[in-house]
Amino acid sequence: STLNNSNMTVFDPQSRIIKYEKPEDIMKEFYNYRLDFYVRRKALLVQKLEKEQRMLSNKARFVEEVCSGALIVSNRKKVELLNDLQQRGYELFDNKAEKKEDDESEEEEGTIASLSKGYEYLLGMKIWSLTYEKAEELRKQLRERTVELEELQATSPSQIWLNDLDSIEIALD
């Protein structure tokens, strides 16, 4: 069958109805709109990898300090341990707090409950995780994330798009 392309009327990115003369005109309009989303996507992926990288670094350091005896976790008061982690410079990671607005006061952020939630990624680790082997595994994951982050930062949004198109083409074949 044949397709008629004399009436190519579509919505543009601003939700206006536009009549295009050629299919290439639609593609040219779409390209800039789509590329903007790849720029946003790259920024979010970089942000996610940076957070994961910092978390892995903190976990590896935590396991190493517990194994070496520099940080004692057992048989301590919760407040002491949380304050010790804070003084040692461990970063707080609380997904729920990140989603909230930043209008909370600094006084509220320093409470025991918020520190507990922020250090859950460290203190919630299983006992089996507190071994030198686990520390090495975490360091290996950290190196992999660092390489992945560097590759992503060196890749342009348009190249990410082209890589996605190549992946689609391979999947379709």
Side-chain angles (χ1 to χ4, degrees):
S1 69
T2 59
L3 294 175
N4 187 358
N5 63 359
S6 62
N7 186 13
M8 293 184 294
T9 306
V10 297
F11 286 103
D12 72 351
Q14 290 79 29
S15 298
R16 299 175 300 193
I17 296 178
I18 304 285
K19 182 174 180 170
Y20 292 96
E21 296 299 319
K22 303 179 288 195
E24 291 82 10
D25 294 339
I26 297 172
M27 293 174 71
K28 286 177 185 175
E29 179 91 27
F30 173 75
Y31 175 81
N32 293 325
Y33 183 70
R34 184 71 178 153
L35 187 59
D36 179 52
F37 280 95
Y38 271 91
V39 170
R40 293 183 203 178
R41 177 180 174 198
K42 179 183 175 180
L44 286 173
L45 288 172
V46 165
Q47 182 181 16
K48 178 184 172 199
L49 283 174
E50 286 173 343
K51 178 182 175 185
E52 196 173 327
Q53 186 183 38
R54 292 190 322 269
M55 190 179 285
L56 285 169
S57 175
N58 279 303
K59 278 184 172 184
R61 185 167 60 104
F62 176 78
V63 171
E64 288 169 354
E65 286 185 358
V66 169
C67 289
S68 69
L71 177 65
I72 298 171
V73 177
S74 61
N75 205 19
R76 290 182 71 185
K77 290 186 177 187
K78 187 175 185 178
V79 176
E80 286 178 13
L81 180 58
L82 293 172
N83 287 332
D84 196 11
L85 290 173
Q86 195 172 29
Q87 288 171 356
R88 290 174 180 266
Y90 285 99
E91 194 171 347
L92 293 166
F93 289 101
D94 184 11
N95 292 335
K96 293 175 186 171
E98 289 174 6
K99 292 177 185 175
K100 292 181 182 177
E101 294 294 321
D102 292 332
D103 56 329
E104 296 178 7
S105 66
E106 289 181 23
E107 180 182 13
E108 190 176 335
E109 290 179 13
T111 65
I112 302 302
S114 65
L115 286 175
S116 295
K117 289 177 188 173
Y119 290 129
E120 178 63 29
Y121 74 103
L122 296 175
L123 299 173
M125 295 173 73
K126 296 179 181 178
I127 296 292
W128 277 108
S129 298
L130 302 176
T131 62
Y132 284 109
E133 292 86 359
K134 182 65 175 181
E136 285 301 312
E137 181 184 325
L138 289 167
R139 289 284 179 207
K140 180 183 173 198
Q141 288 177 358
L142 177 60
R143 286 190 297 273
E144 290 171 359
R145 290 301 174 276
T146 302
V147 168
E148 195 176 331
L149 177 61
E150 289 169 355
E151 288 175 359
L152 180 62
Q153 288 173 330
T155 306
S156 69
S158 57
Q159 185 60 47
I160 294 172
W161 190 359
L162 290 172
N163 293 344
D164 284 352
L165 292 174
D166 290 341
S167 298
I168 291 170
E169 191 172 17
I170 289 168
L172 291 175
D173 289 339

